[in-house]
Amino acid sequence: ADYARYLARLARGQIVIIEHDLTHTRIHGKNMSLNFDPVKLRQSYAAIKKQFYRPRRKIVIATPFYSVSGFSPYIYALVHTVKALTQAGVDWEYWHPSGDAYVHRVKNTIFSKFLEDPEATDLLMIDSDMEWEIGAVLKMLLLPEELIVGSYPQKNSWDKWTSKPKFQKNEQGQTFAMQKEVDGGGVLIEGEDLAGGFMLVKRGILERYKSAHPDLCYIDESSDPSVPQRVYTEFFSAGAINDGNESGHKRFWGEDRAFSRRLQAMGERWWIYANITFGHWGMKGWGGNFGEHLAKMRSDAKRDEATASQPLEMH
């Protein structure tokens, strides 16, 4: 009631704070503000605010930390990203949960908490060992696709890249991946197995996932002690899954791959934004641009094809 009254007054003038004690508050243990569900309270505030303000885009940036430390390239990129969002007039919030040994559990916590905020429109989840282009984030936010990820070099595997495109074959038996051009330059490639180290997701696709999997719910008071009564949706899980391989044995899938395959089973599509230059840090850094990597592969393939078609010279 107080919040609604404040917003109504703000529509007609300014509120001035008087820095003196003019009232007192009686705390007796049954005060509504002390005993209200924090999730429902936030949703109530959002519903009241909607009466007075047009909805705005709100980005939640979340990074799951195993420890309380982050790589300096990550910190640099994060600072300049939130600076760019602020200058663009975009609301943002930063979450940094740390200390959970189960990465799939902390990701479920982030996704479930995100859906509790009715004002949050987009979730940008980034690993703490990542480095990225600031302009690429702003370009991704302008795209209508509901789930976009990056592809970056894997640690200790210089020639491998995270996030696998979805390959198909045409009538001629040629292998290809679905892709579409992005306004202002860049390419989106349809993906099959995603990597969650750099992921931009809109709430709509997560709400559909939650509705499609009512059986994938659980409680865990230790995931977020501030909200012990929260019911979580299992977006991410790791374990042995039957993928129909020839051996007949189940295969171990990581949490990101399991999430992407469940989305595919629902008929959902997601995309790799190929034109981002990343740094991936550990004992040393691995950097690269997936779009440039693909262009080099195509160039090398054409060169090899041209070389093979040339007649052999006799000496």
Side-chain angles (χ1 to χ4, degrees), residues 63 65 67-75 128-129:
T63 296
F65 288 87
S67 63
V68 293
S69 59
F71 288 84
S72 59
Y74 162 86
I75 297 171
S128 62
D129 57 1

Side-chain angles (χ1 to χ4, degrees), residues 25-180:
T25 300
R26 186 168 64 91
I27 299 176
H28 47 73
K30 295 184 179 180
N31 303 71
M32 189 174 181
S33 58
L34 297 179
N35 295 279
F36 210 86
D37 185 318
V39 174
K40 291 182 179 179
L41 185 62
R42 186 168 197 171
Q43 293 171 347
S44 297
Y45 279 142
I48 295 170
K49 188 176 179 181
K50 196 173 182 179
Q51 302 173 25
F52 299 93
Y53 294 94
R54 291 182 179 180
R56 296 179 61 186
R57 197 166 188 181
K58 178 180 177 182
I59 315 299
V60 173
I61 303 173
T63 296
F65 288 87
Y66 175 66
S67 63
V68 293
S69 59
F71 288 84
S72 59
Y74 162 86
I75 297 171
Y76 178 90
L78 175 66
V79 168
H80 287 273
T81 296
V82 298
K83 179 181 178 181
L85 292 175
T86 301
Q87 291 174 337
V90 178
D91 287 344
W92 58 270
E93 201 170 295
Y94 178 58
W95 300 347
H96 48 94
S98 63
D100 197 328
Y102 301 104
V103 64
H104 55 284
R105 183 171 69 173
V106 70
K107 287 182 177 181
N108 289 334
T109 300
I110 290 171
F111 274 31
S112 297
K113 181 181 175 182
F114 169 76
L115 288 178
E116 291 173 353
D117 184 355
E119 295 183 291
T121 58
D122 302 76
L123 173 63
L124 179 59
M125 191 163 65
I126 310 173
D127 283 354
S128 62
D129 57 1
M130 296 299 301
E131 178 186 14
W132 63 95
E133 290 180 84
I134 312 308
V137 174
L138 301 180
K139 289 181 181 179
M140 288 172 65
L141 290 173
L142 296 176
L143 299 176
E145 284 72 21
E146 291 185 282
L147 178 53
I148 306 173
V149 302
S151 183
Y152 41 88
Q154 293 186 18
K155 293 179 182 178
N156 303 315
S157 299
W158 293 62
D159 58 339
K160 294 182 180 180
W161 292 70
T162 62
S163 294
K164 175 184 174 184
K166 184 177 182 180
F167 293 108
Q168 305 176 52
K169 286 190 176 182
N170 58 19
E171 296 178 354
Q172 291 74 36
Q174 297 172 318
T175 302
F176 70 98
M178 291 292 297
Q179 66 179 47
K180 48 187 176 181

Side-chain angles (χ1 to χ4, degrees), residues 232-245:
Y232 295 91
T233 296
E234 186 186 84
F235 294 96
F236 298 91
S237 61
I241 299 176
N242 188 354
D243 65 351
N245 64 81

Side-chain angles (χ1 to χ4, degrees), residues 20 26-27 61 64 78 89 102 171 175 186-189 218 257 262 269 284 294:
H20 296 284
R26 186 168 64 91
I27 299 176
I61 303 173
L78 175 66
Y102 301 104
E171 296 178 354
T175 302
V187 174
L188 287 174
I189 304 173
Y218 64 91
R257 189 177 190 186
R262 285 172 179 167
R269 303 172 74 185
K284 59 187 297 185
L294 294 177

Side-chain angles (χ1 to χ4, degrees), residues 195-210:
F198 192 88
M199 175 192 305
L200 179 65
V201 56
K202 293 180 170 59
R203 68 179 303 116
I205 191 171
L206 298 185
E207 289 174 337
R208 293 195 297 275
Y209 179 101
K210 182 177 180 179

